[in-house]
Amino acid sequence: MTGDTIAGQFREGDAIGTFSIRRVDAKPPTFKQEEVSFRNGDVTLSGTLLLPLTEVPYPAVVFLHGAGSEGRYGARFLAEYFTRYGIAALIYDKRGVGKSTGDWKRSDFADLAGDAIAGIHFLQQRKEINPRKIGIYGHSQGGSIGPLVAARSRDVAFVISAAGGGVPMYEAEINSLTNQIRAKGMTGGDLAEATAFIQTFVSVARTGEDGRNWTRLSRKRETQNGFPYLGCRPKTIISGHFTGVSPITIRPSIGRR
């Protein structure tokens, strides 16, 4: 730290970056905020409602979460940005995170979409919000769930999908895992065998079928030096990416022995 500046280095996985933050005078607030909660069945979602300092009623946006344990503050920056343009924003803790009840690890995409719809219904009851102008913003997994929300509810005025999937989620998972091992330098026959292993892994986690092929590949993985592994059995997996297909619970990790 030097004067009004903090600089340094950060690491996320294998990626390394630098940062520099400088203190500046605070700008006048563009919103007021309120701690709120709403329910989807027996799950209580806790969040923050940001309301612009402009004329009511406001259009509004409900923020969806990315994969994993994401709370309301994951979308805080963009929520504040929307208020500058007169748009209210609802951000909330994913079920099982922060002050929200439930467990996202045991929930599928339909459950998470239902949480967003409950948020829309909550906003429709607020006198400050225009009930006909409420939309969805989702990034990554949330970008893939957004269209599902719109398909299930006619109350969705718009959908903003940031980095959402353009293929079925199980295909996205296979591509993600395969790209990770390719980035670690695996090529040729090893890559082909690893890809077959990943495809079977995802298939078993998704459908519960193809168990014999999984057993065969698992035994080969255990005996073949350097063969990539996932570190857990498909029946115990819950992936942060394709939970919409099957009640699955830990995100698989890929590496090499």
Side-chain angles (χ1 to χ4, degrees):
M1 179 172 179
T2 304
D4 289 335
T5 301
I6 299 177
Q9 187 179 83
F10 66 89
R11 177 188 296 272
E12 181 175 355
D14 295 332
I16 300 176
T18 60
F19 67 91
S20 178
I21 304 173
R22 181 171 57 89
R23 184 189 301 275
V24 297
D25 294 334
K27 295 182 179 180
T30 59
F31 62 91
K32 56 184 178 180
Q33 68 181 45
E34 178 182 336
E35 296 298 297
V36 299
S37 64
F38 54 97
R39 294 183 64 84
N40 177 23
D42 59 356
V43 174
T44 298
L45 289 312
S46 180
T48 303
L49 177 61
L50 282 65
L51 299 170
L53 303 178
T54 53
E55 185 177 350
V56 297
Y58 316 118
V61 58
V62 177
F63 280 85
L64 304 184
H65 310 92
S69 301
E70 186 174 310
R72 71 189 76 180
Y73 293 103
R76 177 77 190 205
F77 177 82
L78 281 176
E80 292 187 13
Y81 180 82
F82 272 83
T83 65
R84 300 177 196 171
Y85 297 92
I87 302 172
L90 175 62
I91 53 177
Y92 60 96
D93 299 330
K94 180 184 284 190
R95 52 171 62 196
V97 178
K99 296 181 179 179
S100 292
T101 65
D103 185 356
W104 66 267
K105 296 178 182 178
R106 298 188 178 277
S107 305
D108 60 18
F109 280 6
D111 295 324
L112 301 180
D115 293 345
I117 293 171
I120 293 172
H121 292 164
F122 165 76
L123 291 178
Q124 288 177 321
Q125 306 305 313
R126 300 282 304 213
K127 65 181 185 303
E128 312 97 322
I129 305 297
N130 184 333
R132 298 178 62 84
K133 294 185 177 181
I134 302 173
I136 294 292
Y137 181 102
H139 176 79
S140 190
Q141 185 186 91
S144 298
I145 295 176
L148 175 60
V149 176
R152 291 181 52 187
S153 174
R154 295 184 177 182
D155 296 322
V156 179
F158 61 87
V159 174
I160 302 174
S161 176
V167 297
M169 295 308 297
Y170 73 92
E171 290 186 15
E173 189 74 1
I174 290 171
N175 292 337
S176 174
L177 298 177
T178 303
N179 287 337
Q180 289 180 50
I181 59 173
R182 183 184 288 113
K184 293 180 180 297
M186 185 172 289
T187 58
D190 285 344
L191 179 60
E193 288 190 88
T195 300
F197 182 81
I198 290 169
Q199 290 171 340
T200 302
F201 178 85
V202 172
S203 176
V204 175
R206 175 173 173 250
T207 67
E209 300 175 356
D210 207 12
R212 289 184 178 180
N213 195 30
W214 164 255
T215 300
R216 179 182 63 80
L217 289 172
S218 295
R219 288 173 179 170
K220 183 173 184 178
R221 184 264 296 176
E222 292 170 356
T223 59
Q224 184 171 338
N225 184 35
F227 196 76
Y229 67 101
L230 294 170
C232 52
R233 299 171 61 188
K235 291 183 180 180
T236 64
I237 298 168
I238 292 189
S239 165
H241 291 284
F242 58 89
T243 45
V245 191
S246 131
I248 32 182
T249 33
I250 9 178
R251 178 170 171 75
S253 60
I254 293 216
R256 300 185 69 170
R257 287 193 189 277

